[in-house]
Amino acid sequence: MLNPGQVLCDRYLLQRKLGQTAGRRTWLALDQAIQPPVPVIIKFLAFVDQVNWDLLKLFEREANILQQLHHPAIPQYRDYFSIDDRVLWFGLVQEYIPGQSLSELIQQGKRFSL
């Protein structure tokens, strides 16, 4: 369903998938509504067969809470949207903060103490 180069909501140009778990995907995208375009993160929640209302409520709650938070250590909320009424995909857009994931650091041999 999602592919690099795809534009969502006439605004978000998908760049690359950053992660995936059951029913969730995280993508790096460019917000083309801002000039010059700025990188953003889009977290997707997808329901293929059946809607899990509890998961959807939690996802919407996360979006509502992030919209109210303003702290330099928390990526800023930007947008929330749904796509594809047949499959039901929901997207939560946040500010992109460049860096490496914990899994990338561990793969590079990084060790952490308690």
Side-chain angles (χ1 to χ4, degrees):
M1 161 97 187
L2 300 175
N3 296 301
Q6 186 175 354
V7 177
L8 302 176
C9 300
D10 295 323
R11 180 175 182 172
Y12 303 109
L13 174 64
L14 296 180
Q15 299 292 295
R16 65 183 167 97
K17 184 168 40 172
L18 299 175
Q20 179 173 340
T21 60
R24 287 187 176 241
R25 289 160 184 77
T26 303
W27 279 75
L28 174 64
L30 288 176
D31 184 348
Q32 300 180 114
I34 300 170
Q35 292 302 320
V38 297
V40 295
I41 293 296
I42 306 178
K43 298 177 187 177
F44 289 101
L45 177 64
F47 298 106
V48 178
D49 298 326
Q50 183 176 7
V51 176
N52 181 326
W53 294 108
D54 290 333
L55 282 179
L56 179 56
K57 278 196 262 184
L58 286 172
F59 195 72
E60 288 178 335
R61 183 173 157 199
E62 179 182 354
N64 288 331
I65 290 170
L66 286 170
Q67 194 170 7
Q68 298 171 33
L69 294 176
H70 300 285
H71 190 279
I74 299 172
Q76 287 295 302
Y77 169 91
R78 299 233 183 209
D79 195 10
Y80 179 80
F81 61 88
S82 65
I83 54 173
D84 199 341
D85 293 334
R86 293 161 290 150
V87 182
L88 288 180
W89 285 70
F90 298 89
L92 170 60
V93 183
Q94 287 182 272
E95 164 188 35
Y96 172 68
I97 298 176
Q100 293 180 298
S101 71
L102 178 59
S103 117
E104 289 170 333
L105 292 172
I106 291 171
Q107 286 176 352
Q108 294 171 5
K110 178 80 173 162
R111 302 247 184 239
F112 299 93
S113 66
L114 291 176

